[in-house]
Structures are given as C-alpha cells and as structure tokens.
Amino acid sequence: MLADFAGWPAWNPVYVETGGTLAAGEAITVAVALPGMKRQRARATVTAVEPPRLIEFSLRGFGGLLRICRYIDITSTGPASCRVGNGEIMGGPLGRMLARTVGGKVRDGLKAMNEALRARVEQSASV
C-alpha cells in the first residue's frame, strides 16, 4: 500500500494528492489536508526508500528556516502483523514554533492516516 505512492489519495486522508516517484533523491509533490486547516501543497525530496520497511522525505520552507522530515517505518511483529511508525520532525529556527502551533493537528492527521492504512490493508486481505 505504501509503495504505491500514486495510489495514496485513494485511501489516505492526509495526502490527498501525490506526484512523482518514491525513489531516493527524487522530487515529489503532495497536497496535505490536516483537520481544521486549509489544504497545503508542498514539494519534497525523497531521502530514503527501503521497501517494505521505510519511506522518508524532507521539505524545506521559508528560505531554509523550516525543515520537516516525514517518515513511515514498518517493523514486522509476526508472520501477519506489523507496527507502523508514522511521524514528522520539525526543525530549523521555525520548527519549534510550528510544532507548537500545528503539532496537534499533524498528530491527529497522522493518526487518521494510520487508521485509514490499517482499514485499507485489512480490506485488501479479506478479498
């Protein structure tokens, strides 16, 4: 599900538009919809892809004053189960302020993304 970046908008409530290829060094575009916020478009650089374990990409804004690292890390916990870590690290001089301002909305969005991913995987497994 996660490797199909073009298919994210079909199930993902946060990344409602995607463009580009998930490959290290590649530029991607996303439209992000967080609860209670206006949809934001962003351009990011893929920093790591290790299927089926890791996807990581980074964004920069405000002339480098804001750096955001997004990651999705999957760890197998058994033959038919896994743990998904899904997070965002906000850094740079504006990172702490942004985290205080929108951190809760980001957390809620990532939780909704994980729940949607689980529902999608469970649905595809039952077919």
Side-chain angles (χ1 to χ4, degrees), residues 34 40 65 87-88 101 122:
L34 291 172
Q40 300 287 318
L65 295 175
E88 184 165 300
T101 305
E122 290 173 350

Side-chain angles (χ1 to χ4, degrees), residues 1-123:
M1 297 293 158
L2 292 173
D4 178 19
F5 187 57
W8 282 19
W11 61 268
N12 194 325
V14 174
Y15 293 95
V16 295
E17 293 177 31
T18 58
T21 303
L22 283 180
E26 293 292 320
I28 58 172
T29 57
V30 294
V32 177
L34 291 172
M37 294 182 64
K38 182 180 173 186
R39 181 182 292 192
Q40 300 287 318
R41 294 186 187 282
R43 184 175 169 91
T45 301
V46 179
T47 53
V49 178
E50 299 172 16
R53 192 185 79 68
L54 176 69
I55 296 171
E56 185 178 280
F57 53 92
S58 63
L59 302 90
R60 292 185 174 269
F62 301 102
L65 295 175
L66 175 65
R67 294 184 306 275
I68 297 174
C69 175
R70 283 284 297 116
Y71 64 88
I72 304 166
D73 187 302
I74 301 171
T75 303
S76 176
T77 57
S81 63
C82 67
R83 179 189 59 80
V84 176
N86 184 8
E88 184 165 300
I89 300 167
M90 298 176 195
L94 296 178
R96 180 171 281 171
M97 181 189 70
L98 184 66
R100 280 193 304 265
T101 305
V102 300
K105 292 177 182 187
V106 170
R107 190 173 24 261
D108 291 347
L110 298 181
K111 182 179 177 183
M113 180 178 165
N114 279 2
E115 291 168 358
L117 176 62
R118 178 188 351 216
R120 181 73 170 212
V121 169
E122 290 173 350
Q123 178 186 25

